[in-house]
Amino acid sequence: MRLRLVCVGQKMPDWVSTGFGDYARRMPPELPLELVEIPMAPRGKNPDIPRLMQRESDAILAATGPKDRVIALEVGGRPWSTEKLASQLENWQQDGRDVSFLVGGPDGLAEDCRKRADQQWSLSPLTLPHPLVRIVLAEQLYRAWSITRNHPYHRA
């Protein structure tokens, strides 16, 4: 089973790549975490936002497998505690399908992505910068895995 973070945006600052990479490397071989970056559609003067979002959505969905369990990261999604995420992770592992986490661009995810999602998850009621979401998600997935294995990383 693979965990895949599919997100809009490239050319992140070094601290983002370093942070994400640190947690991705900690994941066990049987549960790799990979990053798929989708180029952000250029936004010039007076952009057609719905059209740009649709272009990004098409690329996001093309990067997910047809049988993947899809989790859309949405401010309006359901909040999960770390323990709930650990429980979800165990369920996903039993299911065996790859899991794709979708993070939209500056205008969010298009309706197609939300419809394709099996679940919608809110990391926080706060609006988080998209580069930070990558690190928070990677850390929380590692923490959830550590809970399922009684690893000492998580000390609640």
Side-chain angles (χ1 to χ4, degrees):
M1 180 185 142
R2 292 184 172 281
L3 301 173
R4 184 180 301 115
L5 173 55
V6 183
C7 53
V8 174
Q10 297 174 305
K11 300 177 185 168
M12 293 291 124
D14 287 342
W15 63 268
V16 176
S17 301
T18 300
F20 178 86
D22 181 50
Y23 290 108
R25 279 188 296 281
R26 294 182 191 196
M27 295 299 288
E30 70 274 8
L31 195 61
L33 174 61
E34 64 183 51
L35 176 64
V36 178
E37 295 179 313
I38 304 298
M40 186 172 72
R43 283 151 170 81
K45 254 187 164 175
N46 302 316
D48 182 353
I49 298 298
R51 184 177 58 78
L52 297 176
M53 287 175 65
Q54 189 59 53
R55 185 183 311 163
E56 292 166 353
S57 173
D58 293 344
I60 289 170
L61 293 175
T64 63
K67 296 181 181 179
D68 284 10
R69 175 176 297 279
V70 174
I71 313 299
L73 277 81
E74 286 281 317
V75 172
R78 299 187 93 173
W80 297 340
S81 67
T82 301
E83 292 75 16
K84 173 69 174 172
L85 177 59
S87 173
Q88 292 279 359
L89 186 61
E90 283 186 315
N91 292 337
W92 299 334
Q93 286 180 288
Q94 288 173 6
D95 179 55
R97 293 186 287 163
D98 290 347
V99 180
S100 287
F101 298 91
L102 311 184
V103 178
D107 301 297
L109 290 168
E111 187 62 26
D112 289 357
C113 288
R114 288 193 296 275
K115 283 183 179 175
R116 170 66 177 87
D118 297 291
Q119 295 169 281
Q120 292 187 24
W121 175 26
S122 173
L123 285 178
S124 169
L126 300 172
T127 301
L128 299 173
H130 288 208
L132 190 56
V133 167
R134 296 175 185 209
I135 299 170
V136 171
L137 178 64
E139 191 279 336
Q140 285 299 297
L141 288 169
Y142 176 70
R143 183 177 296 274
W145 172 81
S146 75
I147 290 170
T148 68
R149 298 298 183 266
N150 293 315
H151 186 279
Y153 178 78
H154 177 73
R155 294 180 185 92

